[in-house]
Amino acid sequence: MIRMSDLKSGYGSSQVLHGINLEIPEGQTTVLLGSNGVGKTTLLKTLMGVMETKGGSITWKDENIQSWPSEKRAALGLGYVPQGREIFPFLTVWENLILGAEARGMKIRANNPPAELIKIYEKFPILLSLSKRRGGNLSGGQQQILALARVLLTGPKVLILDEPTEGIQPSIVEEIGDVLTSLKHDGMTILLVEQFVVFALGLADHYALMEHGQITQRGPVQDHNRDEIKTKIVL
């Protein structure tokens, strides 16, 4: 379980997170909802160590990780797909995937790919047909699939996604939803920031509503009226 207690963070002298208290249960999917500018991305960046914690704590399985650098958190098992995907545009799909595999310590040979990479191609067959294409020449949806596939190759224990459906065609949104559902059934812990509320609530076991840098409402999705949750979010 990941636990954030009285977590504070921000940019320079501007504080964005004003004492976040949130638990991410192991093996379940938690969706973080809220209107634009309330601090959702800042929370994810702080959790990953991309932004410095200004107060409070972050623990994983009772170990305090708030002072750990982002690469150590990634090695521990936090897999992060940021908003905007951040693939390498001048590298091919194959080369982007190799980076994810090598981060896990795999040795890659073109004529003898590891089983993990074969499984990724089975999960995302479109990537096989695009393997020689540069990342920057892919559509937004294809880039999102590549970013998700790359982070899965690192073998994460926790998958952290920031707006995975933003600007993506419906067919690929459905494909991403199917993959996340499969990962959820396999016991992956998922933290999802998403503006497509119907998509998010359809996947999530738990939700947390964020306003003005604080968590104002949370709980199991099944215990709350989804229409009421949606009415609290002004995009």
Side-chain angles (χ1 to χ4, degrees), residues 191-207:
L191 174 58
L192 172 68
V193 165
E194 183 54 66
Q195 296 280 34
F196 186 1
V197 180
V198 174
F199 172 86
L201 293 178
L203 285 170
D205 301 293
H206 303 270
Y207 82 98

Side-chain angles (χ1 to χ4, degrees), residues 166-179:
E166 183 181 30
I168 291 178
Q169 57 267 44
S171 61
I172 293 187
V173 170
E174 183 176 353
E175 184 174 351
I176 290 172
D178 290 343
V179 170

Side-chain angles (χ1 to χ4, degrees), residues 8-214:
K8 300 179 178 69
S9 184
Y11 301 85
S13 60
S14 176
Q15 188 167 322
V16 178
L17 303 184
H18 300 275
I20 293 290
N21 293 292
L22 182 63
E23 295 181 353
I24 311 300
E26 187 173 354
Q28 299 185 48
T29 299
T30 301
V31 60
L32 183 61
L33 302 169
S35 57
N36 292 322
V38 299
K40 302 185 301 296
T41 293
T42 299
L43 186 151
L44 298 190
K45 288 182 176 180
T46 305
L47 174 59
M48 283 303 303
V50 177
M51 291 184 61
E52 182 181 357
T53 302
K54 295 180 179 293
S57 65
I58 303 171
T59 58
W60 187 6
K61 299 181 179 179
D62 298 323
E63 183 166 14
N64 194 326
I65 65 170
Q66 72 182 53
S67 62
W68 290 18
S70 56
E71 60 269 20
K72 187 175 180 180
R73 300 185 200 198
L76 184 68
L78 297 184
Y80 178 42
V81 181
Q83 191 176 24
R85 298 125 199 171
E86 295 187 7
I87 62 165
F88 295 96
F90 296 108
L91 298 183
T92 66
V93 166
W94 166 256
E95 290 165 339
N96 269 276
L97 291 175
I98 284 176
L99 291 176
E102 290 182 341
R104 193 174 176 176
M106 298 180 204
K107 293 183 179 180
I108 306 298
R109 296 180 179 87
N111 61 347
N112 187 26
E116 291 84 357
L117 186 53
I118 293 173
K119 288 178 181 178
I120 284 295
Y121 279 136
E122 290 174 347
K123 193 179 293 289
F124 302 102
I126 190 175
L127 295 180
L128 183 58
S129 63
L130 297 171
S131 61
K132 295 182 179 180
R133 189 175 299 183
R134 286 188 178 185
N137 293 333
L138 303 181
S139 70
Q142 292 166 346
Q143 288 183 6
Q144 186 66 63
I145 287 177
L146 175 57
L148 178 55
R150 186 180 63 186
V151 79
L152 289 176
L153 272 172
T154 68
K157 297 180 179 69
V158 179
L159 183 60
I160 301 168
L161 303 167
D162 193 355
E163 304 279 8
T165 71
E166 183 181 30
I168 291 178
Q169 57 267 44
S171 61
I172 293 187
V173 170
E174 183 176 353
E175 184 174 351
I176 290 172
D178 290 343
V179 170
L180 295 181
T181 299
S182 175
L183 293 171
K184 172 182 172 179
H185 289 163
D186 289 342
M188 175 75 75
T189 303
I190 301 174
L191 174 58
L192 172 68
V193 165
E194 183 54 66
Q195 296 280 34
F196 186 1
V197 180
V198 174
F199 172 86
L201 293 178
L203 285 170
D205 301 293
H206 303 270
Y207 82 98
L209 182 63
M210 195 168 178
E211 298 178 85
H212 308 298
Q214 294 181 312

